[in-house]
């Protein structure tokens, strides 16, 4: 049996190398590396995939969030509500824009922001909500958008982990003012380095990010804004154009693997992710909740050469870097419980049947 990996990027590359290699080579021959035709094509292709008016590429998913905040004029003195149970980039971006993150606890079953606790976090300073569709599962967008609309708040969806996820048929990332994507290699649509994008129907957001991502330049060497350097490069765009043609099939494969796990993992110590036809999980990660002895299970898996990962072991309100916000242990009990119980097991479209059976067998035999 081939070595099991959390995400088998090597097998993916070998499968599509006949398309990837010439695509990269043509960029090398053109020697046009920044803001060329591959980027323009990719932005069109991405907008078409999401059935949305515009997509603009940037250097990372983190920058996608920072630039969205800047484009919506959110800065010092403004509050942005988000979840403490996310990758740090979400909150890092809020701070980078100069705004103040305000945490709201998560829902036990979905690991996503609990919309029943959202309204009590809104103050006169609140300008936006950043829902994070964690692991590949949509937030409760009906309720969230209803609250945002009634309180006139902007919504920036952190869709970094949920490429291809759907909420009542509609792709996540397309509900709010804009959606942010990450093409970090381990994400469902990953490039060969860093990359990100913002998708939106709002032409003003696009026009502003187009200027911000390129030093604030409006015409060559004419600057209207304080910008940054945050562009997706041509090589990454060429890779993404190839991978985007395969993405639907890869997401289907993830869902098939997840169904196999859900139908076959049978261990009273574990709670499995929810699947529903209305809220279609895209399974960037397959995350178990381990009721007790998570460490022991993780070590046991490792003993049988099965990697696993904890996304994430410490909620952001408990991180040293944010201690000035004054949060403490006990402030967000559901997030704190999740940080102690979650365990993600291998998930990628290149996991084969033999590997899946083996993983299930080892998990089912584990006794706490
Ligand atoms: C990956 C990720 C990002 C962005 O990450 P980059 O590495 O900057 O592309 C943002 N939010 C979440 C939840 C993520 O998982």
């Amino acid at each position: 049996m081939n070595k099991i990996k959390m995400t088998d990027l090597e097998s993916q590359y070998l499968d599509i190398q006949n398309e990837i290699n010439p695509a990269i080579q043509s960029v090398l021959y053109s020697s046009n590396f920044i803001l060329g035709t591959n980027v323009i094509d990719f932005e069109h292709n991405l907008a078409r995939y999401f059935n949305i008016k515009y997509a603009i590429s940037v250097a990372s998913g983190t920058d996608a969030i920072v630039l969205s905040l800047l484009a919506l004029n959110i800065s010092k003195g403004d509050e942005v509500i988000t979840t403490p149970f996310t990758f740090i980039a979400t909150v890092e971006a809020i701070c980078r824009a100069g705004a103040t993150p305000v945490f709201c606890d998560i829902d036990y079953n979905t690991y996503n922001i609990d919309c029943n606790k959202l309204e009590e976090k809104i103050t006169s300073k609140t300008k936006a909500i950043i829902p994070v569709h964690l692991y590949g599962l949509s937030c409760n967008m009906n309720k969230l958008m209803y609250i945002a609309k009634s309180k006139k708040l902007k919504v920036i969806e952190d869709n970094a982990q949920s490429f291809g996820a759907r909420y009542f048929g509609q792709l996540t990332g397309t509900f709010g003012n804009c959606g942010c994507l990450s093409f970090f290699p381990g994400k469902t649509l990953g490039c060969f380095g860093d990359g990100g994008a913002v998708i939106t129907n709002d032409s003003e957001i696009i026009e502003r990010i187009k200027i911000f991502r390129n030093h604030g330049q409006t015409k060559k060497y004419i600057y209207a804004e304080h910008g940054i350097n945050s562009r997706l490069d041509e090589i990454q765009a060429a890779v993404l154009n190839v991978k985007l043609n395969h993405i639907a099939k890869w997401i289907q494969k993830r869902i098939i693997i997840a169904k196999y796990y859900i139908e076959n993992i049978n261990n009273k110590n574990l709670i499995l992710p929810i699947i529903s036809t209305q809220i279609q999980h895209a399974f960037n990660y397959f995350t178990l909740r381990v009721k007790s002895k998570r460490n022991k299970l993780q070590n046991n898996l490792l003993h049988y050469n099965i990697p696993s990962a904890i996304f994430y072991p410490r909620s952001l309100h408990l991180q040293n870097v944010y201690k000035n916000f004054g949060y403490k242990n006990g402030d967000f009990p559901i997030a704190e419980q999740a940080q102690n119980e979650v365990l993600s097991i291998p998930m990628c479209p290149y996991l084969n049947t033999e590997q899946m059976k083996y993983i299930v067998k080892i998990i089912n035999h584990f006794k706490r």
Side-chain angles (χ1 to χ4, degrees):
M1 186 168 58
N2 289 334
K3 188 170 157 38
I4 298 175
K5 298 170 187 166
M6 282 298 284
T7 321
D8 188 353
L9 295 176
E10 202 178 328
S11 295
Q12 187 189 54
Y13 169 63
L14 293 175
D15 189 24
I16 56 170
Q17 60 178 328
N18 292 340
E19 295 171 71
I20 290 273
N21 293 357
I24 292 177
Q25 193 138 45
S26 81
V27 177
L28 302 184
Y29 281 123
S30 81
S31 285
N32 184 8
F33 296 110
I34 302 292
L35 296 181
T37 54
N38 287 282
V39 164
I40 292 168
D41 287 348
F42 176 61
E43 290 172 346
H44 285 140
N45 295 338
L46 197 60
R48 193 176 324 120
Y49 176 89
F50 280 95
N51 194 17
I52 203 165
K53 280 193 193 149
Y54 312 103
I56 184 157
S57 59
V58 295
S60 71
T62 309
D63 279 1
I65 306 171
V66 175
L67 294 172
S68 296
L69 288 160
L70 293 183
L72 290 166
N73 285 313
I74 292 162
S75 61
K76 205 166 154 51
D78 298 335
E79 292 178 355
V80 179
I81 301 173
T82 194
T83 162
F85 196 60
T86 174
F87 181 55
I88 192 167
T90 318
V91 176
E92 180 191 325
I94 297 170
C95 296
R96 185 60 58 201
T100 305
V102 173
F103 295 121
C104 174
D105 207 354
I106 58 169
D107 170 70
Y108 179 87
N109 294 308
T110 62
Y111 305 105
N112 285 328
I113 197 161
D114 184 348
C115 292
N116 294 318
K117 295 180 181 154
L118 203 51
E119 281 182 282
E120 66 201 58
K121 303 292 171 190
I122 299 172
T123 72
S124 58
K125 292 180 179 170
T126 309
K127 287 286 155 58
I129 307 169
I130 304 189
V132 180
H133 308 298
L134 204 70
Y135 303 147
L137 183 66
S138 177
C139 295
N140 180 349
M141 292 313 284
N142 264 345
K143 179 134 199 193
L144 192 136
M145 291 309 296
Y146 176 80
I147 294 170
K149 281 195 179 120
S150 62
K151 304 281 179 184
K152 298 197 165 46
L153 304 177
K154 307 286 188 198
V155 174
I156 298 169
E157 294 175 72
D158 181 340
N159 201 46
Q161 293 187 12
S162 285
F163 195 101
R166 287 173 192 272
Y167 182 80
F168 290 91
Q170 188 178 339
L171 286 164
T172 56
T174 64
F175 288 85
N177 295 81
C178 60
C180 298
L181 312 177
S182 165
F183 308 123
F184 181 81
K187 302 288 160 75
T188 294
L189 178 64
C191 60
F192 291 175
D194 278 307
V198 177
I199 54 173
T200 181
N201 281 313
D202 184 339
S203 60
E204 205 179 311
I205 292 179
I206 287 299
E207 288 315 315
R208 298 202 72 196
I209 294 179
K210 205 172 253 178
I211 294 167
F212 285 137
R213 75 168 174 184
N214 198 21
H215 305 290
Q217 176 176 288
T218 46
K219 281 187 207 145
K220 204 163 174 77
Y221 303 123
I222 304 296
Y223 308 99
E225 305 255 19
H226 294 289
I228 60 172
N229 175 354
S230 182
R231 300 165 305 217
L232 184 74
D233 66 67
E234 282 287 301
I235 290 180
Q236 301 309 336
V239 168
L240 288 165
N241 276 325
V242 170
K243 285 199 177 188
L244 196 55
N245 287 328
H246 295 273
I247 202 71
K249 161 191 83 191
W250 286 334
I251 292 166
Q252 269 324 102
K253 191 73 202 293
R254 284 176 184 273
I255 293 169
I256 289 168
I257 293 167
K259 282 193 174 140
Y260 179 85
Y261 276 154
I262 288 168
E263 281 162 14
N264 293 284
I265 293 177
N266 185 2
N267 186 319
K268 290 203 168 61
N269 189 32
L270 302 176
I271 296 172
L272 301 172
I274 321 164
I275 45 175
S276 100
T277 45
Q278 281 101 20
I279 305 172
Q280 197 185 83
H281 206 310
F283 292 104
N284 194 154
Y285 300 120
F286 189 92
T287 306
L288 307 166
R289 188 185 271 280
V290 190
K291 288 193 273 187
S292 75
K293 305 255 165 60
R294 177 176 63 178
N295 254 347
K296 200 171 159 200
L297 173 59
Q298 191 168 30
N299 288 333
N300 187 257
L301 291 175
L302 204 59
H303 174 79
Y304 290 101
N305 296 314
I306 300 169
S308 61
I310 297 169
F311 305 122
Y312 295 91
R314 185 180 294 175
S315 290
L316 297 179
H317 68 288
L318 301 176
Q319 300 282 352
N320 251 337
V321 58
Y322 299 131
K323 62 175 181 289
N324 58 319
F325 296 126
Y327 291 107
K328 57 183 189 313
N329 231 318
D331 282 348
F332 304 106
I334 312 297
E336 289 162 24
Q337 188 182 352
Q339 79 188 8
N340 296 325
E341 295 182 348
V342 292
L343 188 69
S344 301
I345 60 173
M347 167 54 80
C348 86
Y350 290 85
L351 206 61
N352 64 40
T353 311
E354 187 189 17
Q355 293 172 320
M356 282 153 58
K357 281 189 175 155
Y358 174 76
I359 293 167
V360 167
K361 188 178 91 185
I362 300 299
I363 290 177
N364 286 349
H365 282 171
F366 175 72
K367 300 267 187 303
R368 17 176 188 157

